[in-house]
Amino acid sequence: MQEHGSPWSRLRGLEPMSLCDWPGRVSAVLFLGGCDLRCPTCHNFQLAWETWNTPCLPRSQVMDLLRKRSSWLDGLVVTGGEAALSADLPEWLADLRAHVGLPIKLDTNGMHPAVIERTVTAEAVDLVAVDIKGPWSKYPLLTGNRATPEQARANMKQIFALARDKPGSFQFRTTLVPELTQDDLNAMQHLPPPGFVLQMQRFKTPATVIERR
């Protein structure tokens, strides 16, 4: 895994209140810049691929805001970009939760199972939401040729093993991008471990994606 610095050095965005990033909870959202994939339908491509255009948020400002709002927030979501690019993510999340006192949900593309394993083992998060982009054969198309079918299968196999051991700590989801056919979606239902339902998210084409095509 290429080193992308600590999460504080990658923190590029803060949403003070969200009702949709952790369904059923009022949450704040932290956005970490940088991503190893190049999904052509990415909504956050500037944050994910062009981090130099967005200034880093200072730790003191972020912690102060989260502490002030923690009494009426139900959770904190850490997303990206791809958060698991930072090798010290587990320690960062544990420290964040200790200081803010909120449950934490982590969004990930699942391509860094070793970091996710250490995060879950350290009990640094309450929920890991894993994106399954599509059937393994379509990962090159769906990730901008940044993940082969073999890499996708191998990484997700490790994630699935973690989920079987800690079923309450994982959920799996896919976004209904135009490249996915109904046959793809039918086949994908069988990818997650037994007991898990693959959640489907609607896709809305952002203007930036339309302009780049």
Side-chain angles (χ1 to χ4, degrees):
M1 180 179 70
Q2 182 181 353
E3 179 58 50
H4 278 69
S6 71
W8 283 122
S9 71
R10 299 173 53 210
L11 185 57
R12 294 297 195 274
L14 167 62
E15 176 61 50
M17 187 187 77
S18 170
L19 300 177
C20 61
D21 285 271
W22 195 343
R25 292 179 183 262
V26 179
S27 60
V29 185
L30 299 181
F31 297 87
L32 301 186
C35 187
D36 49 338
L37 305 184
R38 291 295 184 270
C39 306
T41 51
C42 180
H43 279 246
N44 291 336
F45 77 95
Q46 289 178 316
L47 174 80
W49 314 335
E50 302 173 3
T51 55
W52 58 85
N53 288 328
T54 307
C56 184
L57 299 181
R59 181 184 189 278
S60 58
Q61 174 186 330
V62 172
M63 295 299 286
D64 185 56
L65 185 146
L66 292 177
R67 289 193 192 101
K68 288 179 179 178
R69 293 172 175 263
S70 62
S71 61
W72 54 269
L73 289 172
D74 299 319
L76 178 63
V77 176
V78 176
T79 188
E82 173 52 46
L85 290 176
S86 292
D88 60 343
L89 180 69
E91 294 79 10
W92 182 78
L93 289 169
D95 181 67
L96 191 63
R97 183 155 69 171
H99 283 84
V100 178
L102 289 171
I104 296 179
K105 168 179 172 276
L106 173 67
D107 294 340
T108 180
N109 60 30
M111 294 295 100
H112 307 281
V115 175
I116 301 304
E117 180 177 12
R118 290 195 295 108
T119 299
V120 173
T121 301
E123 299 183 347
V125 294
D126 298 87
L127 182 64
V128 180
V130 184
D131 291 325
I132 300 179
K133 301 294 184 181
W136 311 140
S137 62
K138 278 196 171 179
Y139 259 71
L141 172 66
L142 297 170
T143 66
N145 289 313
R146 294 304 177 97
T148 67
E150 294 75 21
Q151 289 170 331
R153 183 185 293 108
N155 288 326
M156 284 296 182
K157 182 179 179 180
Q158 295 181 60
I159 296 289
F160 293 160
L162 294 172
R164 284 192 291 269
D165 290 340
K166 294 182 177 293
S169 299
F170 285 85
Q171 65 177 212
F172 298 95
R173 61 194 188 180
T174 192
T175 301
L176 300 175
V177 297
E179 290 82 358
L180 293 176
T181 67
Q182 188 58 54
D183 287 343
D184 292 333
L185 298 176
N186 292 340
M188 291 170 63
Q189 298 291 342
H190 305 288
L191 294 180
F196 287 90
V197 176
L198 183 61
Q199 302 177 12
M200 303 293 180
Q201 301 182 141
R202 290 182 57 196
F203 171 73
K204 289 182 63 177
T205 305
T208 51
V209 172
I210 296 174
E211 291 167 1
R212 286 184 291 141
R213 285 184 169 177

